[in-house]
Amino acid sequence: MTRVFSGIQPSGVPTLGNYLGAIRNWVPMQDRHECLFCIVDLHAITQFQPPAQLLAQTREMAAALLACGLSAEKCVLFVQSHVPAHAELGWIFNCVARIGWLNRMTQFKDKAGSDRENASAGLYVYPNLMAADILAYKATSVPVGDDQRQHLELANDIAQKFNHDYGVEFFPRIEPFIQGVAARVMSLRDGTKKMSKSDPSDQSRINLNDDADAIALKIRRAKTDPEPIPEHLSGLENRPEARNLVGILAAVTGTLPENVLREHAGQGFGQFKAVLTEALVAHLAPIRAEMLRLLQDPGALDAALHRGAERAEAIAQPVITEAKRIIGLLPRR
Ligand code: AQP
């Protein structure tokens, strides 16, 4: 059975982008594969998180993932920092990855912005830790949004270099699993930027715990252009905001953007946004309600995460021990 690994940072409430690009695709995988889904708090602290907020967001993320349909029985759901293997292998990979490789990572450039000198060293080596997250379990399938493609290529480079340097066939090849019509959901304020849970503007995103009024307001305020909805996909070229809203409606109604265009061609955005709001509220209201219900019992959430960490540890520990033997940190058997 394929082993699947994916992670999400507790750096805020998960957004519609996280949901459509990643979480929603994780749910059916639990029935077909051995799945590990990880709340990657060590990644979240690459940018400062107030401590109490980080703890609250970690629990909130667990509630959101369960509310979206993950099952703590079917998959291994856990918090990254609860399993030391991630940090241990992350350090080893810091010593395998080359600085030139990291310099090419566009996410670092996006996140560090113009103030690169002031970004944390953790943000810079983030892709090495991500490679460790996956390879500590020798997972081979990684369902992520389109934005993570470059990091997975780097993870494969690291695995290959490790195998080559030590003359072993130890770490497997990882296959990204990028799926869905809305593999990359863009900001509601700027269609050229991806929707992010840590964007300073709350108006740029739909949070999974937004109520119907908040969703309606954000969609009403979403940036658009004065042209009506076109008939064909070619009419969305150079219209990133229009393309994004069409993609979102297609994704939440389970259809293709071309079908959305066929149905709404000629409409202005006022009319289109009303339809989009209704579809989003219908889709997200049950998730929000379940999330709020789960958050009423933090003890049960913590217990589920604790069990998940024990199961994850049992898989990762033999892999790390063997990696240490290969490197010479432990004697060979
Ligand atoms: N806008 C997006 N569209 C599609 N997929 C997305 N993902 C994130 N944003 C979008 C996917 O969500 C998964 C978890 O992401 P993450 O939390 O590990 O980090 P991220 O990609 O950096 O997501 P955010 O929301 O932008 O977080 P912050 O603001 O903290 O940096 C990944 O599979 C990602 O592809």
Side-chain angles (χ1 to χ4, degrees):
M1 196 156 50
T2 312
R3 186 173 287 160
V4 171
F5 179 96
S6 201
I8 185 160
Q9 297 183 68
S11 44
V13 179
T15 68
L16 184 68
N18 300 130
Y19 175 68
L20 295 177
I23 305 169
R24 186 167 80 156
N25 302 323
W26 298 353
V27 176
M29 297 186 107
Q30 312 172 96
D31 293 314
R32 295 197 296 271
H33 306 290
E34 180 186 9
C35 291
L36 295 118
F37 295 118
C38 183
I39 301 173
V40 290
D41 52 353
L42 297 175
H43 284 284
I45 59 167
T46 56
Q47 292 180 303
F48 182 77
Q49 307 288 334
Q53 198 174 306
L54 179 61
L55 278 170
Q57 286 171 179
T58 300
R59 240 188 223 143
E60 213 166 40
M61 182 59 76
L65 295 177
L66 293 169
C68 288
L70 291 189
S71 147
E73 278 73 45
K74 287 187 192 171
C75 69
V76 181
L77 178 66
F78 67 107
V79 178
Q80 184 185 28
S81 66
H82 297 179
V83 180
H86 294 255
E88 278 192 272
L89 191 60
W91 178 258
I92 291 169
F93 286 171
N94 284 342
C95 304
V96 175
R98 305 291 93 182
I99 287 180
W101 300 354
L102 293 172
N103 283 343
R104 289 193 282 277
M105 296 299 112
T106 54
Q107 182 173 291
F108 175 75
K109 291 177 194 156
D110 292 346
K111 288 198 172 172
S114 53
D115 198 9
R116 284 180 65 157
E117 296 293 307
N118 225 354
S120 74
L123 189 63
Y124 187 65
V125 295
Y126 180 117
N128 298 344
L129 181 59
M130 180 168 159
D133 296 336
I134 301 161
L135 290 167
Y137 303 94
K138 291 194 172 180
T140 53
S141 179
V142 183
V144 282
D146 180 55
D147 57 307
Q148 293 298 320
R149 196 184 286 275
Q150 198 187 29
H151 286 165
L152 291 183
E153 284 164 12
L154 186 106
N156 273 326
D157 290 342
I158 293 174
Q160 220 174 47
K161 183 165 164 53
F162 180 97
N163 288 346
H164 178 266
D165 287 354
Y166 293 103
V168 290
E169 273 308 317
F170 185 65
F171 287 120
R173 209 187 139 67
I174 302 166
E175 296 297 338
F177 180 80
I178 294 166
Q179 201 195 29
V181 285
R184 193 180 295 222
V185 179
M186 309 311 281
S187 157
L188 299 177
R189 309 300 299 167
D190 175 353
T192 64
K193 258 176 62 184
K194 80 164 184 156
M195 182 180 284
S196 257
K197 58 180 119 59
S198 63
D199 191 298
S201 163
D202 189 54
Q203 296 297 313
S204 70
R205 60 176 171 263
I206 304 289
N207 304 311
L208 290 189
N209 66 354
D210 279 344
D211 63 17
D213 289 346
I215 293 173
L217 188 67
K218 288 176 179 180
I219 295 297
R220 212 163 41 241
R221 288 189 178 158
K223 188 175 166 197
T224 47
D225 58 43
E227 301 297 317
I229 303 287
E231 261 176 68
H232 301 290
L233 287 177
S234 57
L236 290 174
E237 260 167 47
N238 302 318
R239 298 176 65 189
E241 286 82 16
R243 173 191 295 275
N244 189 36
L245 296 187
V246 167
I248 292 174
L249 183 57
V252 291
T253 54
T255 186
L256 292 171
E258 33 281 48
N259 297 336
V260 168
L261 295 185
R262 207 166 298 130
E263 199 172 325
H264 298 281
Q267 283 180 2
F269 274 99
Q271 215 177 340
F272 183 81
K273 283 177 167 182
V275 174
L276 177 58
T277 299
E278 201 178 318
L280 278 170
V281 170
H283 199 91
L284 298 181
I287 294 177
R288 174 176 190 270
E290 180 62 1
M291 209 177 143
L292 294 179
R293 188 188 72 76
L294 289 166
L295 280 167
Q296 281 172 0
D297 190 351
L301 285 171
D302 291 351
L305 292 173
H306 182 74
R307 275 197 309 278
E310 284 178 342
R311 290 168 66 196
E313 173 84 22
I315 304 172
Q317 207 32 254
V319 178
I320 299 301
T321 302
E322 189 54 26
K324 286 179 175 171
R325 290 195 209 283
I326 291 170
I327 297 167
L329 298 172
L330 287 175
R332 289 246 179 184
R333 266 184 296 213

